[in-house]
Amino acid sequence: MNFRSSTLILALFVLGNSSYAQKDNSFNIKKQLEYCASQASQTLKVIPNDGTLPRAVLNGSKEWKFVNYKDWTSGFWPGELWYLYEATGDKKWEKEADKFSLFLTPLSVSKAGDHDLGFQVFNSFGNGYHLTKNPEYKKIILKTADTLATLFNPKVGTILSWPHNKYGGHNTIIDNMMNLELLFWASKNGGNKKLYDIAVKHAETTMKNHFRPDYSSYHVIIYDYETGKKLKGITVQGYSDDSMWARGQAWAIYGFTMVYRETKDPKFLDFANKIARVYLDRLITEDLIPYWDFNAPGIPNEPRDASAAAIVSSALIELSTYTKDKNLKNEYLAKSKKMIESLSDHYQSREVNSAFLLHSTGHKLAGSEIDCSINYADYYYLEALLRLKKLN
Ligand code: GLY
């Protein structure tokens, strides 16, 4: 989601004299946005008229894999369409964004399947409400926030991420940080005020339990249902329980930056800086696009994860606007810009398929979606381009 325009105006003022702002005259953001619009126009032509949405194009294929509204990635395609509407002002995108968002409406009246409701409903209807103020979207967002809150376990202090997959206790995955934005928004826009407290408690509990001493994140923490005690940290999508899964760390950086925006509590800003630090310090690739796991054993012959780079590049732009240290601010901006340029110059799908980007890795250990195009990489890439455009 977009962070507030007042923050951006302030950032623009603060950054006016930075070396970053002076140097930023070569990269053509408009051209990249036009590229995204052109690719999305191609995708629109091949989506079946059956309520499904494009999720991924597997390596070696040109065809999209389509999913229905229940899939955890269902909000990214409508989110991309809303961002294209924001970028262009062209009503064509608004019409399509509305159509595909509405496919997700049942999520607001169903029992909570898992924690992904924020990804699904806030990236679709949330972006839509931001741009249109459509009261129907607001009702859907508020209802869904209440649904997500039903997964909160007060004994643990976090939301249960995967009710269907228990792993011997109450599980919480790092990705879950992203879905707190839905709760914050609802609590400030007519929803139950307790949603704010739930989001803060989840973030505090995660900050305490979900990280190793070097600030790298576990993928999953298993808690005792009754006592709330942390039992163990494990992985499902990373290389090993003790490794730093690239997208997990990316969700953490983005999530804690967002929690600072919503709470203005400096402990969250300090934490976002620490977890960004370990990611940036351990990034060994020249183009700043990570391998799918920082500890993957076959590096440098391991697949990259462009989606992690897209998420981090967007998060760093926002984090740079909150960070007072001038050197750090410039580092975040310079590295974010380098990531966005790398993605634009060397990772775009172009004629290979109609996604925006290639080379993302979904679930390596399961042999699923390896080195391919995935809609969440496209969504955060487009978001990062828009954020960069606003800063400029
Ligand atoms: N939230 C699932 C993933 O990042 O793959």
Side-chain angles (χ1 to χ4, degrees), residues 294-328:
F294 282 67
N295 302 92
I299 289 173
N301 300 312
E302 293 277 356
R304 302 293 185 99
D305 184 12
S307 76
I311 297 158
V312 170
S313 65
S314 183
L316 287 182
I317 294 172
E318 180 169 12
L319 189 54
S320 77
T321 68
Y322 306 139
T323 304
K324 299 223 164 42
D325 181 314
K326 229 174 165 179
N327 290 333
L328 198 53

Side-chain angles (χ1 to χ4, degrees), residues 73-88:
T73 69
S74 62
F76 294 114
W77 172 246
E80 288 169 50
L81 297 170
W82 285 118
Y83 278 150
L84 288 173
Y85 176 46
E86 183 177 346
T88 62

Side-chain angles (χ1 to χ4, degrees), residues 55 72-73 76 115-116 119 162 173 175-176 219 237 245 247-248 251 307 311 361-363 369 376:
R55 168 173 166 142
W72 84 270
T73 69
F76 294 114
H115 73 108
D116 289 318
F119 283 121
W162 293 327
I173 68 171
D175 325 25
N176 205 145
H219 180 203
Q237 281 168 264
W245 175 46
R247 198 165 52 260
W251 293 137
S307 76
I311 297 158
T361 296
H363 195 339
E369 297 181 337
Y376 44 89

Side-chain angles (χ1 to χ4, degrees), residues 179-197:
N179 296 309
L180 304 183
E181 192 172 7
L182 169 67
L183 303 182
F184 281 122
W185 190 91
S187 74
K188 295 174 188 182
N189 288 276
N192 193 325
K193 299 276 178 262
K194 284 193 185 132
L195 298 173
Y196 183 96
D197 301 332

Side-chain angles (χ1 to χ4, degrees), residues 265-338:
D265 184 333
K267 73 181 180 226
F268 293 122
L269 177 59
D270 180 54
F271 199 70
N273 282 321
K274 285 179 167 133
I275 57 184
R277 185 77 269 142
V278 62
Y279 182 98
L280 294 174
D281 283 353
R282 291 182 54 189
L283 197 50
I284 55 167
T285 51
E286 203 175 319
D287 62 6
L288 303 190
I289 312 300
Y291 294 101
W292 69 282
D293 189 298
F294 282 67
N295 302 92
I299 289 173
N301 300 312
E302 293 277 356
R304 302 293 185 99
D305 184 12
S307 76
I311 297 158
V312 170
S313 65
S314 183
L316 287 182
I317 294 172
E318 180 169 12
L319 189 54
S320 77
T321 68
Y322 306 139
T323 304
K324 299 223 164 42
D325 181 314
K326 229 174 165 179
N327 290 333
L328 198 53
K329 188 187 284 291
N330 283 338
E331 180 191 353
Y332 287 162
L333 276 175
K335 288 190 173 162
S336 167
K337 186 161 175 277
K338 166 87 178 158

Side-chain angles (χ1 to χ4, degrees), residues 31 46 93 100 111 134 137 183 248 287 346 353 366:
K31 189 173 145 215
V46 299
W93 297 115
F100 285 99
K111 194 165 169 271
N134 181 335
Y137 295 175
L183 303 182
D287 62 6
H346 304 294
N353 63 52

